[in-house]
Amino acid sequence: MISIEKKNQIKIAADIIKKGGVVAFPTETVYGLGADAFNPNAVEKIFELKKRPIFDPLIVHLYSIDQLEIVCTEVDNRVYDLAEKFWPGPLTIVLKKNNKIPDIVTSGLNTVGVRIPDNDIARELIKLSETAIAAPSANKFGRISPTKAEHVQKYFSEVDFILNGGNTKVGIESTIIFLNEKGFEILRYGAITKEELEKVIPYCEIKIDQKKLLSPGMLKSHYSPRKPFYILNDSILNKIDKSKSGLISFTGKYDDGFKRVITLSKNQDLRECAINLFSAMHSLEDSDVENIIAEPVPEKGIGIAIMDRLKKAAFYYMNDFADNKLNT
Ligand code: TXA
Ligand code: MG
């Protein structure tokens, strides 16, 4: 249920979208920075605000499956099977785009990533805006994704409106899939696992080169805190000064001696870890620690998506120890 006060805020936000403005809004995964998907000037503002390269396409958000035909064409039955099971929800399906979608949204690709978010505020916003909303995550390009309105505020003071929907309930971004003749291929691991998808349609891997062409925005580095970020291993434990470092903890085994420790889930529940991951990264980025160390989680189920985020966050710092730069 949306309160009357919230509904009024959504109406204001929808008017801004209709007039070509940009609004930050909650989804179940992370906050998005949205504009009218059919208005290229409005979408351009998102790229400028985020400092996002134009080769990285945006996901288009719908409030109902009935809107599918206004953004894409040649929708086959498998999409409806997936929609029935996973929409509204954290699954983005890359489909053939309708020619009404401007090139800036899709970075010139002939496909468009589409999803229906499982968040009442998001869907009400899209509905009242009477359009589809193109939205990336509401962070500056390459930085940590936002799971609270406060995180969005940290990045964007200049955005027309931020709808506050509290903490997002999934915490990491949607799974992005592409459908080929034989089944689905995963372009980005996310909240919905391969195993869950395989119950609906078969998994069929494509060649890595083809995957790169299909998904030009997938970079090795992303989600980067402004501080050195490492995935915990023996060598790092030996070299790092724990008294100056923050730990994102999973098992609790390594907590002793760190200046700050944030435990992702007391029961080591991977879904709970996903919910708390970006918030933990933001907290340590904004705290007095010099380095951030994250304990790896098992790479199974949603753990694959969590490890994907950790590896991308650690990408720039991967060679620090090889160079002995961190002799603290
Ligand atoms: O959970 C989410 O997906 C969040 C919320 C706001 O919906 N959005 C999100 O957007 O994570 P963004 O822009 O941070 O990441 C979307 C990624 C892009 O980096 C791009 O690589 C991929 O989706 N993408 C978008 N359209 C695509 C397309 N047509 N083909 C292949 N990949 C696409
Ligand atoms: Mg993003």
Side-chain angles (χ1 to χ4, degrees), residues 27 29-32 52 56-59 61 94 109 111-113 115 135-137 173-174 176 187-188 214-215 217-218:
T27 79
T29 58
V30 299
Y31 277 72
R52 180 178 176 111
D56 194 0
L58 306 183
I59 292 172
H61 299 70
V94 172
L109 296 172
T111 58
V112 58
R115 83 180 192 96
S137 50
E173 297 86 346
S174 61
I176 303 180
L187 299 180
R188 177 178 71 187
L214 284 169
S215 199
M218 295 297 165

Side-chain angles (χ1 to χ4, degrees), residues 67-179:
Q67 287 184 294
L68 208 50
E69 306 282 331
I70 64 167
V71 293
C72 42
T73 61
E74 298 173 25
V75 180
D76 71 60
N77 282 336
R78 295 176 301 172
V79 177
Y80 292 100
D81 292 344
L82 289 164
E84 202 180 303
K85 184 93 176 75
F86 299 110
W87 281 351
L91 177 69
T92 297
I93 311 178
V94 172
L95 297 166
K96 186 106 187 276
K97 104 176 169 78
N98 181 316
N99 58 18
K100 289 194 196 105
I101 291 284
D103 278 344
I104 186 162
V105 173
T106 63
S107 304
L109 296 172
N110 62 3
T111 58
V112 58
V114 185
R115 83 180 192 96
I116 303 179
D118 184 14
N119 179 291
D120 291 346
I121 296 175
R123 284 203 311 283
E124 188 68 12
L125 172 70
I126 305 165
K127 191 173 176 185
L128 295 182
S129 303
E130 296 170 345
T131 186
I133 294 187
S137 50
N139 49 280
K140 295 274 182 188
F141 181 71
R143 305 270 314 264
I144 311 165
S145 300
T147 56
K148 303 172 189 282
E150 292 76 12
H151 298 156
V152 182
Q153 240 139 20
K154 178 170 138 182
Y155 294 123
F156 303 105
S157 49
E158 66 277 51
V159 164
D160 299 333
F161 207 83
I162 300 176
L163 275 171
N164 192 339
N167 294 351
T168 60
K169 66 180 182 193
V170 170
I172 55 169
E173 297 86 346
S174 61
T175 304
I176 303 180
I177 62 165
F178 168 82
L179 301 178

Side-chain angles (χ1 to χ4, degrees), residues 185 206-215:
E185 166 70 303
I206 52 171
K207 287 195 186 117
I208 195 92
D209 292 356
Q210 201 187 347
K211 210 165 157 173
K212 272 189 194 150
L213 280 176
L214 284 169
S215 199

Side-chain angles (χ1 to χ4, degrees), residues 21-37:
V22 173
V23 165
F25 63 98
T27 79
E28 79 281 37
T29 58
V30 299
Y31 277 72
L33 194 61
D36 180 351

